[in-house]
Amino acid sequence: QVQLVESGGGLVQAGGSLRLSCAASGRTFSTYAMGWFRQAPGKEREFVAAISWRGLNTAYADSVKGRFTCSRDNAKNTVYLQMNSLKPEDTAVYYCAADASSQPYHILTDASQYAYWGQGTQATVSS
């Protein structure tokens, strides 16, 4: 069982930055594939970023590529999402997700592939 707690959301002006954190419980964090998803009001949850075991592989949605960076610190059981050059359309609840993976290079980009989810953190970008 893994518990995930996101933090770091808030209100920022367009062009600004936020750094989201996701702290995970459990001693096997280093063998979990991790991901970030977001859900805006009236929209479906969408993939944002994903990272493999040791951070050797990452993937990003086209809408955030070049602006967002996903990283992890396995010693701290934490995964991060650095969000730069934020736009009003980035406004959403951001969720962290985790799933045990047998392959160190696996990246999971589909929400249905993840077994564990955090409660979400709100990020609001004003124009």
Side-chain angles (χ1 to χ4, degrees), residues 36-40 43-49 61 63-64 89-90 92 94-95 109 111:
W36 287 96
F37 292 77
R38 67 186 181 186
Q39 188 166 18
K43 295 188 177 182
E44 294 187 352
R45 189 171 299 191
E46 65 174 0
F47 168 74
V48 175
S63 59
V64 307
E89 52 262 43
D90 295 317
Y94 283 74
Y95 296 91
T109 60

Side-chain angles (χ1 to χ4, degrees), residues 4 6 8 14-15 17 20-21 24 35 40-41 45 63 68-69 75 99 102 118 124:
L4 305 173
E6 301 98 332
S17 298
L20 306 184
S21 298
R45 189 171 299 191
S63 59
F68 290 12
T69 302
D99 199 77
S102 62
T124 302

Side-chain angles (χ1 to χ4, degrees), residues 44-116:
E44 294 187 352
R45 189 171 299 191
E46 65 174 0
F47 168 74
V48 175
I51 190 166
S52 59
W53 280 11
R54 297 192 182 98
L56 297 179
N57 278 355
T58 54
Y60 299 92
D62 288 343
S63 59
V64 307
K65 205 170 291 184
R67 300 188 298 121
F68 290 12
T69 302
C70 183
S71 62
R72 65 191 294 165
D73 185 339
N74 287 342
K76 296 182 178 180
N77 278 18
T78 302
V79 63
Y80 304 98
L81 185 67
Q82 178 67 44
M83 306 190 296
N84 298 330
S85 302
L86 283 162
K87 305 174 182 180
E89 52 262 43
D90 295 317
T91 295
V93 177
Y94 283 74
Y95 296 91
C96 172
D99 199 77
S101 176
S102 62
Q103 300 296 328
Y105 297 99
H106 264 179
I107 296 174
L108 307 178
T109 60
D110 191 323
S112 65
Q113 296 175 299
Y114 287 94
Y116 304 104

